[in-house]
Amino acid sequence: MKKLLMYTVLGAGALATLQGCKMKSTESVVTGNAAAKTYVAPGQYDEFYNFVSGGFNGQVSVYGLPSGRLLKIIPVFSVFPENGYGYSEETKPMLNTTAGNIPWDDQHHLTISLTNGEQDGRWLFANANNTPRVARIDLTSFKTVEILQLPNSAGNHSSPYLTENTEYVIAGTRFSVPLGEGDVPISSFKENFKSTVSFISIDKEHGNMNIAFQVVLPGMDLDLSRGGKGPSHDWFFFSTYNTEQAHTLLEVQASEKDKDFIVAMNWKKIEEYVKSGKGKKVNVEYAHNHFNEETQHAESKIENEVLVLDHSELKDMIYMIPCPKSPHGCDVDPTGQYIVGSGKLAALIPVFSFDKLTKAIAAKDFEGEYYGIPVMKYESVLHGEVKKPGLGPLHTEFDGKGFGYTSMFLSSEIVKWNIETLEVVDRVPTYYSIGHLCIPGGDTKKPWGKYVIAYNKITKDRYLPTGPELAQAAQLYDISGDKMELILDYPTVGEPHYAQGISASVIKDKSVKLYDIAKNKHKYVTMGEKEAKVVRTGNRVDVYMTAIRSHLAPDNIEGVYVGDEVYFHVTNLEQDWDIPHGFAIKNNPNAELLIMPGETVTLKFVPQKPGMYPFYCTDFCSALHQEMQGYLRVSPKGSNVPLKFGIGETAPGVAAK
Amino acid sequence: MKLTILGRVSIIVVILFLATLWAFPMWDIQLAAPQYPGGLSMQIWINDLGGDVDIINGLNHYIGMKTIHKEDFNEFVYLPIIMMSFMGLGLVVFILNRKRYYYIWAGLFVCIGLLSFYDFYSWLYDYGHDLDPKAPIQVPGMSYQPPLIGYKKMLNFEALSQPHIAGWFYIGAGVILALVCFYEWKKSKKAAR
């Protein structure tokens, strides 16, 4: 009886313990002084700029680290009514393409310009995935200054990645498509569909982009890419999937083969072929849009020619490295010696050796051919495999201390491993299902190695609920010690894919505060209030308007008719830091403007009905901001109200009294 | 009576001190407000204005202060001439080498100094008080005269006015002149005994 009682007590105790067991929760992951590590006191600055792709919002957002504070959204491929980007006459041409004005895109990857493999902080390159384009953002003004459309391309995904000295921005196609006329049966994929890689040369001084040449490859999906470094300087690497060349139900058909490829491309060799005239000029059409910072005006030019090199005609420039199961990330370590392929369906991470690759190429140690391109033997170029890293490896960044950090989508974690020994040394959960990750400088020769940020695909319960549509979730980890430590969890805008981080010290002191009005070369600048005027040419009305605290001049305008095309060229005469003015007019279906000090921006307005149209400054500029307003009188077409305008003493009807 | 060696040397030193007026500003007015974390400043040179004059002008229109323009100051033309002449006279005193001339020269300095400060003060008074009656911001009884020297709070702005490098040298020149006059006078009294 005593025994029975004892067993009962023990049994109940065991049950209680079982119920006491819980799944690991987020709270238990946060340790130490996380708050102190991310607290940036008022008056202090963040240590890093974090440029984060906006995904489906088509923009680039700028965060400060370690605070996770959003500092700015830079409009790139999508219109931005908030400041008039894509709506003002000056910026409309930026979004021009051969398919007309496209006001949105899907922005995935970013790269900061490099000098000797290190971030120089001059420009930021951004890709548009949907309508293939590459943009250049000036990191002194944080403005999009150039957008280049890519012909012979679809799904500009393995883009924009750089060579070590920003010689080229490389942009590869995710979708293979027929070159030229696309009107062919989809089932003719194998004969007609091609992948292309565009080499965009970058002007050393001004950063201007130009398509130097394109390399045509067999039809497959070029997923991601990276330039070599140091010893592998002359090379570029792409991950591929769908080397099965399926054109339907890729989910199954493109996962059939045990291995796809990492494409190793010797771009120096290709350059030689170009110099010796091996390329073929092909007629194409693509838009090249450039924002001239002097005239403050964008121009869109349609270019008609591109130089194309076909892989089948030129040898010794491309090699295929077998890589398990539809690799996604393709990352090169800071020494340039190791290439990490992340087979997203594989349960291991293969790491390839650049030394072994060059030796195998020299020894012609090939396994076979893929459309005439030599295929390397997996074993002979392999440095080793990271065993059991987790599930669904996607991308790898580096800390510069000999470790790789790989994001694991399926097992929702970051795994830290030793590049030499290939041993997993640490792992931390992410919330939830991490896509890209970013270590500031973690893709360059010189990583800053202090933090890693996880950009997740699923948010669920991370923040206060906001209906079915949620913000995206990011987590910041301190990686300065042996163990990764979660120190911050914060929501992000758009859908971040890849990001770039850079020490604030490289950029912050070069940031433009205002534009020198004396250097304003805008065609419609108004140099001082006395020059303010309204000029009619047919049914076009140009309003030369000035804005200064706290009035717009002229602020009374009469003699404008229904159907007139009215252009408000607003010049902000201020020459003081952070005194922008805004401009908006009633019933304008267009947008509003933000005009920075010393800048001229134009807003078009076509009044549809007679009436009184108030306009005003939309950016609270001063104590008398509410007084910064005026009227446009619109009369029926054909009426004889004369054109009059003015302000104060010169306002119509005032002087007559 | 002839000057002492010290007296003669002091002439050269005073002239060199005054020469700094062409190398550095005389006066520095600093302004601070919550919206201007870096502060604003204006430097007064013997023949020019420096610093954030345009920004200050932009702000002053709220309270109806006149805008500040270099062209409005005749002082920038005649002050350099006066100082040059004064320095030239110093050389004459040096050559003539007489105590009496030294005293006159020092007396002249005091006159120039007093007149300059009076002139400066009246400009500040004028700017601070001669306000546009139509100004958007009007605070009854409020004037905006910056201090000649020292600190003052005016609405959301704090103002600090003080000599700049050349101003200190100018003051130094005055101190040297006073001390040397006293020294020369003592010496001559001793000699008279």
Side-chain angles (χ1 to χ4, degrees), chain A residues 323-341:
Chain A
C323 187
K325 288 286 176 194
S326 305
H328 189 57
C330 166
D331 299 291
V332 181
D333 88 311
T335 66
Q337 191 54 252
Y338 300 112
I339 303 117
V340 182

mmCIF file of all heavy atoms in Angstrom, chain A residues 323-341:
data_model
loop_
_atom_site.group_PDB
_atom_site.id
_atom_site.type_symbol
_atom_site.label_atom_id
_atom_site.label_comp_id
_atom_site.label_asym_id
_atom_site.label_seq_id
_atom_site.Cartn_x
_atom_site.Cartn_y
_atom_site.Cartn_z
ATOM 1 N N CYS A 323 26.365 21.933 -58.381
ATOM 2 C CA CYS A 323 26.043 22.368 -57.027
ATOM 3 C C CYS A 323 24.695 21.754 -56.658
ATOM 4 O O CYS A 323 23.751 21.826 -57.438
ATOM 5 C CB CYS A 323 25.983 23.892 -56.987
ATOM 6 S SG CYS A 323 25.794 24.546 -55.323
ATOM 7 N N PRO A 324 24.595 21.142 -55.458
ATOM 8 C CA PRO A 324 23.392 20.388 -55.124
ATOM 9 C C PRO A 324 22.124 21.230 -55.137
ATOM 10 O O PRO A 324 22.117 22.366 -54.648
ATOM 11 C CB PRO A 324 23.670 19.880 -53.703
ATOM 12 C CG PRO A 324 25.120 20.006 -53.510
ATOM 13 C CD PRO A 324 25.594 21.096 -54.402
ATOM 14 N N LYS A 325 21.088 20.674 -55.710
ATOM 15 C CA LYS A 325 19.706 21.075 -55.514
ATOM 16 C C LYS A 325 19.381 22.566 -55.615
ATOM 17 O O LYS A 325 19.234 23.260 -54.604
ATOM 18 C CB LYS A 325 19.250 20.544 -54.151
ATOM 19 C CG LYS A 325 19.049 19.027 -54.139
ATOM 20 C CD LYS A 325 17.786 18.682 -54.894
ATOM 21 C CE LYS A 325 17.577 17.179 -55.011
ATOM 22 N NZ LYS A 325 16.553 16.872 -56.018
ATOM 23 N N SER A 326 19.270 23.044 -56.814
ATOM 24 C CA SER A 326 18.769 24.404 -57.071
ATOM 25 C C SER A 326 19.364 25.471 -56.163
ATOM 26 O O SER A 326 18.688 26.024 -55.305
ATOM 27 C CB SER A 326 17.240 24.431 -56.934
ATOM 28 O OG SER A 326 16.668 23.466 -57.774
ATOM 29 N N PRO A 327 20.657 25.740 -56.308
ATOM 30 C CA PRO A 327 21.291 26.717 -55.418
ATOM 31 C C PRO A 327 20.665 28.106 -55.547
ATOM 32 O O PRO A 327 20.254 28.504 -56.624
ATOM 33 C CB PRO A 327 22.751 26.730 -55.859
ATOM 34 C CG PRO A 327 22.752 26.163 -57.223
ATOM 35 C CD PRO A 327 21.604 25.217 -57.299
ATOM 36 N N HIS A 328 20.598 28.790 -54.433
ATOM 37 C CA HIS A 328 20.050 30.144 -54.417
ATOM 38 C C HIS A 328 21.216 31.115 -54.215
ATOM 39 O O HIS A 328 21.716 31.699 -55.156
ATOM 40 C CB HIS A 328 19.013 30.257 -53.296
ATOM 41 C CG HIS A 328 18.229 31.531 -53.322
ATOM 42 N ND1 HIS A 328 17.506 31.930 -54.410
ATOM 43 C CD2 HIS A 328 18.033 32.480 -52.374
ATOM 44 C CE1 HIS A 328 16.903 33.079 -54.147
ATOM 45 N NE2 HIS A 328 17.216 33.446 -52.915
ATOM 46 N N GLY A 329 21.697 31.231 -52.982
ATOM 47 C CA GLY A 329 22.821 32.120 -52.736
ATOM 48 C C GLY A 329 24.102 31.586 -53.349
ATOM 49 O O GLY A 329 24.290 30.385 -53.488
ATOM 50 N N CYS A 330 24.968 32.510 -53.729
ATOM 51 C CA CYS A 330 26.244 32.157 -54.332
ATOM 52 C C CYS A 330 27.188 33.237 -53.819
ATOM 53 O O CYS A 330 27.212 34.338 -54.341
ATOM 54 C CB CYS A 330 26.076 32.221 -55.845
ATOM 55 S SG CYS A 330 27.590 32.205 -56.765
ATOM 56 N N ASP A 331 27.888 32.963 -52.735
ATOM 57 C CA ASP A 331 28.604 34.022 -52.040
ATOM 58 C C ASP A 331 30.094 33.748 -51.933
ATOM 59 O O ASP A 331 30.499 32.603 -51.736
ATOM 60 C CB ASP A 331 27.985 34.201 -50.642
ATOM 61 C CG ASP A 331 26.520 34.592 -50.734
ATOM 62 O OD1 ASP A 331 26.255 35.719 -51.169
ATOM 63 O OD2 ASP A 331 25.654 33.758 -50.429
ATOM 64 N N VAL A 332 30.876 34.799 -52.086
ATOM 65 C CA VAL A 332 32.331 34.672 -52.082
ATOM 66 C C VAL A 332 32.865 35.246 -50.776
ATOM 67 O O VAL A 332 32.499 36.354 -50.387
ATOM 68 C CB VAL A 332 32.936 35.422 -53.285
ATOM 69 C CG1 VAL A 332 34.449 35.279 -53.301
ATOM 70 C CG2 VAL A 332 32.348 34.896 -54.592
ATOM 71 N N ASP A 333 33.718 34.497 -50.101
ATOM 72 C CA ASP A 333 34.222 34.925 -48.785
ATOM 73 C C ASP A 333 35.197 36.094 -48.931
ATOM 74 O O ASP A 333 35.645 36.396 -50.046
ATOM 75 C CB ASP A 333 34.850 33.742 -48.037
ATOM 76 C CG ASP A 333 36.312 33.587 -48.370
ATOM 77 O OD1 ASP A 333 36.639 33.600 -49.588
ATOM 78 O OD2 ASP A 333 37.134 33.474 -47.452
ATOM 79 N N PRO A 334 35.530 36.795 -47.832
ATOM 80 C CA PRO A 334 36.370 38.006 -47.935
ATOM 81 C C PRO A 334 37.746 37.769 -48.562
ATOM 82 O O PRO A 334 38.316 38.689 -49.153
ATOM 83 C CB PRO A 334 36.509 38.465 -46.480
ATOM 84 C CG PRO A 334 35.305 37.932 -45.793
ATOM 85 C CD PRO A 334 35.006 36.625 -46.458
ATOM 86 N N THR A 335 38.277 36.551 -48.468
ATOM 87 C CA THR A 335 39.595 36.301 -49.065
ATOM 88 C C THR A 335 39.490 36.064 -50.560
ATOM 89 O O THR A 335 40.498 36.083 -51.271
ATOM 90 C CB THR A 335 40.257 35.050 -48.443
ATOM 91 O OG1 THR A 335 39.477 33.893 -48.808
ATOM 92 C CG2 THR A 335 40.342 35.143 -46.927
ATOM 93 N N GLY A 336 38.286 35.807 -51.055
ATOM 94 C CA GLY A 336 38.106 35.538 -52.480
ATOM 95 C C GLY A 336 38.459 34.111 -52.844
ATOM 96 O O GLY A 336 38.484 33.746 -54.019
ATOM 97 N N GLN A 337 38.718 33.301 -51.841
ATOM 98 C CA GLN A 337 39.182 31.933 -52.073
ATOM 99 C C GLN A 337 38.024 30.932 -52.110
ATOM 100 O O GLN A 337 38.116 29.908 -52.761
ATOM 101 C CB GLN A 337 40.170 31.567 -50.943
ATOM 102 C CG GLN A 337 40.943 30.302 -51.166
ATOM 103 C CD GLN A 337 41.669 30.281 -52.494
ATOM 104 O OE1 GLN A 337 41.296 29.562 -53.416
ATOM 105 N NE2 GLN A 337 42.715 31.086 -52.602
ATOM 106 N N TYR A 338 36.954 31.233 -51.391
ATOM 107 C CA TYR A 338 35.872 30.251 -51.259
ATOM 108 C C TYR A 338 34.559 30.774 -51.816
ATOM 109 O O TYR A 338 34.190 31.936 -51.612
ATOM 110 C CB TYR A 338 35.705 29.868 -49.792
ATOM 111 C CG TYR A 338 36.959 29.256 -49.222
ATOM 112 C CD1 TYR A 338 37.712 29.912 -48.258
ATOM 113 C CD2 TYR A 338 37.406 28.021 -49.711
ATOM 114 C CE1 TYR A 338 38.883 29.364 -47.764
ATOM 115 C CE2 TYR A 338 38.585 27.462 -49.219
ATOM 116 C CZ TYR A 338 39.318 28.131 -48.252
ATOM 117 O OH TYR A 338 40.475 27.588 -47.787
ATOM 118 N N ILE A 339 33.874 29.880 -52.528
ATOM 119 C CA ILE A 339 32.582 30.221 -53.106
ATOM 120 C C ILE A 339 31.557 29.300 -52.452
ATOM 121 O O ILE A 339 31.695 28.077 -52.500
ATOM 122 C CB ILE A 339 32.586 30.025 -54.639
ATOM 123 C CG1 ILE A 339 33.699 30.876 -55.257
ATOM 124 C CG2 ILE A 339 31.228 30.396 -55.235
ATOM 125 C CD1 ILE A 339 34.762 30.061 -55.946
ATOM 126 N N VAL A 340 30.561 29.934 -51.820
ATOM 127 C CA VAL A 340 29.566 29.164 -51.082
ATOM 128 C C VAL A 340 28.289 29.081 -51.911
ATOM 129 O O VAL A 340 27.702 30.099 -52.252
ATOM 130 C CB VAL A 340 29.253 29.839 -49.728
ATOM 131 C CG1 VAL A 340 28.253 28.996 -48.933
ATOM 132 C CG2 VAL A 340 30.529 30.058 -48.938
ATOM 133 N N GLY A 341 27.889 27.859 -52.243
ATOM 134 C CA GLY A 341 26.629 27.674 -52.965
ATOM 135 C C GLY A 341 25.597 27.160 -51.984
ATOM 136 O O GLY A 341 25.871 26.227 -51.237
#
